[in-house]
Amino acid sequence: MSQFEKYHPILTPHYAFDWLTKVRVVDVFNLYQTTDTTVTMAATADRINQVMREIFNDRQLVWGVTNRTTNDFCGQVGFAPIDMAAHQATLTVQLTDANHDVAPLTEILERLVAFGTVELKLQRLQLALSQPDSLMGQVLTTLGFTTTDNLNFDYQAA
């Protein structure tokens, strides 16, 4: 059994992190379309299957996020890639536009950082933005991430 198989669902007060296979493919497709308009439904399904293979081979840990009250799909987050031997990972956070706000970002990122540092014993987390995002930067800085260029953020566990 993969070490990462047991890590679902992960809950916060308002959100549930579960495998991408637990959410509707069309919701993931719509999320992917926000950054790549050429992605197809078939490519989305293939990508979800690839993510699950990577999870079961302990190379990444990625979840679909849903609102616990409404069950609405909120986005995809996780550690991809993750290097347990080096105790570090790259965070990935892609939320729907409706969830790109301080409260959801803070709650989701707080849970990711806590899970990564406490449960997985990661000492370093990185997050790279494709373009400047002042809201994301504000939340990351509040959570203890540092940056020199507002694109690449780094977190060192205490």
Side-chain angles (χ1 to χ4, degrees):
M1 175 180 186
S2 159
Q3 170 182 334
F4 293 161
E5 277 184 62
K6 62 186 173 190
Y7 294 130
H8 76 105
I10 306 296
L11 304 176
T12 74
H14 299 101
Y15 303 99
F17 300 8
D18 211 336
W19 299 146
L20 286 170
T21 53
K22 299 277 186 165
V23 297
R24 296 176 341 146
V25 175
V26 69
D27 291 335
V28 179
F29 168 75
N30 290 334
L31 179 69
Y32 291 173
Q33 280 270 305
T34 63
T35 56
D36 180 3
T37 57
T38 64
V39 72
T40 65
M41 189 68 80
T44 300
D46 288 344
R47 194 162 153 189
I48 290 169
N49 287 331
Q50 181 60 34
V51 165
M52 295 309 297
R53 279 192 292 278
E54 294 294 311
I55 291 168
F56 295 135
N57 286 306
D58 294 333
R59 290 191 289 260
Q60 61 180 259
L61 191 50
V62 176
W63 301 276
V65 179
T66 55
N67 181 300
R68 291 179 62 188
T69 303
T70 64
N71 207 34
D72 290 341
F73 179 69
C74 301
Q76 176 179 318
V77 301
F79 306 96
I82 188 169
D83 185 340
M84 295 299 287
H87 303 285
Q88 64 184 17
T90 299
L91 290 180
T92 62
V93 177
Q94 187 177 6
L95 299 180
T96 62
D97 289 342
N99 291 283
H100 190 79
D101 202 359
V102 172
L105 280 170
T106 300
E107 186 172 328
I108 289 166
L109 283 165
E110 278 178 342
R111 186 67 178 110
L112 281 174
V113 170
F115 185 84
T117 57
V118 175
E119 181 69 31
L120 299 177
K121 309 277 190 262
L122 300 172
Q123 297 170 354
R124 182 175 185 210
L125 302 173
Q126 298 171 292
L127 189 144
L129 301 176
S130 59
Q131 60 188 16
D133 180 335
S134 60
L135 182 62
M136 178 72 90
Q138 170 194 337
V139 171
L140 290 168
T141 302
T142 300
L143 294 175
F145 283 78
T146 59
T147 185
T148 56
D149 62 4
N150 293 313
L151 289 174
N152 297 290
F153 291 82
D154 193 62
Y155 181 90
Q156 296 287 329

